[in-house]
Amino acid sequence: MSFEPSQLGKLNPDAPDVQRRAPPYIRQSSMHEIVGRDARAFKTTRHVIEFLCYIDTIIVFFPVVALCKTDWRWLCELYGAKPHFYRNRKKIYLLVAFQCPQRALLREIANLCDKYCGCLYRLDIACDVIRDPNMSPQEQFRFIKEHMLLMHRDAQRILPVRNADGSTGYYFVKHAHLNGAPRDICAYWDLLSKLIEGFKPAHLDFRMRGAPIRHIDPHDLEFLDPSEILLQHLRFVEFDRTRFERRLFRKTIREANNKAEAVALISKMRRHDQLDWVQRVHDQHRVRLRTNNDLVRFPTAFTWGAKRRSVGRKEIMKEIRTLDVENCILDAHGHGA
């Protein structure tokens, strides 16, 4: 993997010139990665950022109005609390939501899916960027903004949403939980980690509903390979934001009738076009971007021990109580009314 000096320096614009030519997080990071699941296929590569992944949320669909009392009590005991649920007596189904489920709970959920013919409706994979002494979480977040694409996404603005805990999430699909969108990403840099107490890493939540997870057997949940799932939907690209903006603004200046018009157009682009996100550059300008997934490293197994937060419970309830989402749930799993 190769970078141009001008591209590398932009991740830390205040660094001295000697660091711009070869930042330490590029010079010193070197590791081996297993490609797929073949232990013989090793690949020496350099990753700019690495992630830890865990299951953040699952919602399970049961084509019954209620589970038997014994099964429900055992679920609550394994979960450590009463899980949120939504019951529809008319269409005869039950949705049960769990945050940060651990392995013993996942095994019991899989057994109950067998017993009641249930299946997954939603799966959220959370990704914390590993702490790096050479990059702050803000710089890591900026790197994600300038290099990550959600494939096969309709062009639309990235929506910033202020949460109750003071953090700001950036949603790639607007109101995905309301319109039943099958995929969404929410990115943060100021959200407390559920894995490391008191730490605020750059963070991604990749959310899937319905069709993208229809093939997943609940018995396989604890053994899933996060890198395999994520890289089916995400790609990381080589992109020099400053160089792109320079070309775009020069073109705008050439085509403008006068200097005032050019300044106004460029100011509007800076304010409204979200050029700090490569996803929006791809949406609006359709530039050719070279894929290089070696820029990042996702793990091949989940990390366990994440601790759920009560502040997220209301957001889950918004989804499972949303009007008209029922048709999406039932159609996705072949349970017509």
Side-chain angles (χ1 to χ4, degrees):
M1 179 182 66
S2 62
F3 287 81
E4 296 184 8
S6 60
Q7 181 178 359
L8 295 174
K10 289 181 204 48
L11 295 177
N12 188 0
D14 299 325
D17 289 340
V18 66
Q19 185 178 352
R20 287 174 184 266
R21 289 193 292 271
Y25 60 83
I26 296 294
R27 289 201 310 268
Q28 297 171 6
S29 60
S30 179
M31 62 203 71
H32 291 286
E33 177 186 24
I34 296 179
V35 180
R37 294 187 176 275
D38 189 349
R40 297 170 299 174
F42 285 98
K43 181 179 180 182
T44 302
T45 187
R46 296 179 180 180
H47 311 290
V48 177
I49 57 175
E50 299 182 59
F51 292 90
L52 290 176
C53 296
Y54 59 93
I55 296 178
D56 182 74
T57 302
I58 60 171
I59 299 180
V60 187
F61 172 91
F62 295 105
V64 294
V65 173
L67 307 181
C68 76
K69 291 183 179 180
T70 304
D71 291 336
W72 184 253
R73 281 198 298 267
W74 182 231
L75 265 185
C76 294
E77 183 177 340
L78 288 174
Y79 187 51
K82 183 179 179 181
H84 289 285
F85 65 91
Y86 173 75
R87 178 184 293 118
N88 189 309
R89 297 183 182 276
K90 182 179 179 181
K91 295 187 177 180
I92 312 177
Y93 73 83
L94 176 72
L95 292 175
V96 189
F98 303 90
Q99 289 180 282
C100 303
Q102 302 303 304
R103 283 176 283 194
L105 177 61
L106 291 177
R107 293 167 192 157
E108 180 60 22
I109 290 172
N111 292 333
L112 292 178
C113 285
D114 289 343
K115 181 176 179 179
Y116 294 96
C117 299
C119 55
L120 288 177
Y121 161 63
R122 171 173 158 180
L123 171 64
D124 293 5
I125 298 177
C127 309
D128 282 358
V129 179
I130 295 175
R131 195 195 308 260
D132 186 337
N134 297 306
M135 290 183 79
S136 68
Q138 292 89 338
E139 288 174 322
Q140 292 172 331
F141 182 71
R142 178 178 173 183
F143 182 86
I144 290 171
K145 290 168 64 176
E146 295 182 358
H147 295 275
M148 185 182 73
L149 292 176
L150 175 61
M151 294 187 285
H152 311 300
R153 165 188 175 272
D154 292 337
Q156 57 188 291
R157 288 185 61 80
I158 291 173
L159 181 69
V161 175
R162 189 75 171 174
N163 297 317
D165 60 1
S167 63
T168 301
Y170 296 86
Y171 291 80
F172 278 50
V173 179
K174 185 178 180 180
H175 304 312
H177 66 290
L178 298 178
N179 58 37
R183 304 175 308 155
D184 186 24
I185 297 178
C186 189
Y188 298 89
W189 67 268
D190 57 353
L191 185 70
L192 283 170
S193 172
K194 295 180 181 179
L195 290 173
I196 304 173
E197 188 174 356
F199 177 50
K200 293 184 177 181
H203 177 87
L204 298 175
D205 277 337
F206 183 59
R207 300 166 180 174
M208 297 174 287
R209 304 169 181 84
I213 57 173
R214 190 182 305 167
H215 66 284
I216 297 178
D217 187 331
H219 288 279
D220 296 334
L221 273 174
E222 65 176 300
F223 308 109
L224 291 177
D225 181 342
S227 65
E228 183 178 338
I229 295 174
L230 292 166
L231 293 178
Q232 287 177 2
H233 302 274
L234 306 177
R235 72 181 179 109
F236 289 81
V237 297
E238 297 178 359
F239 176 65
D240 186 334
R241 174 187 164 191
T242 301
R243 178 182 294 179
F244 168 77
E245 288 183 348
R246 188 181 298 122
R247 289 202 308 265
L248 177 64
F249 296 158
R250 284 176 178 171
K251 179 183 177 183
T252 303
I253 292 170
R254 287 196 305 268
E255 295 177 352
N257 294 322
N258 52 60
K259 181 179 178 180
E261 181 182 352
V263 170
L265 289 171
I266 291 173
S267 298
K268 182 179 178 182
M269 290 179 189
R270 290 187 182 278
R271 287 196 309 269
H272 301 294
D273 288 2
Q274 297 184 313
L275 298 178
D276 51 335
W277 293 89
V278 69
Q279 183 81 60
R280 295 296 293 136
V281 172
H282 183 261
D283 288 347
Q284 299 170 91
H285 301 281
R286 293 298 175 183
V287 294
R288 290 187 178 182
L289 298 168
R290 180 183 174 188
T291 299
N292 185 355
N293 288 333
D294 287 337
L295 291 170
V296 301
R297 181 179 183 270
F298 290 107
T300 57
F302 287 120
T303 299
W304 304 99
K307 297 180 180 179
R308 63 182 179 270
R309 291 188 293 263
S310 59
V311 71
R313 295 178 182 175
K314 291 182 179 179
E315 297 303 318
I316 294 176
M317 291 304 294
K318 282 182 183 178
E319 169 152 350
I320 63 180
R321 290 185 181 277
T322 297
L323 295 176
D324 296 329
V325 78
E326 298 153 354
N327 292 331
C328 174
I329 297 167
L330 296 171
D331 292 344
H333 298 291
H335 297 278

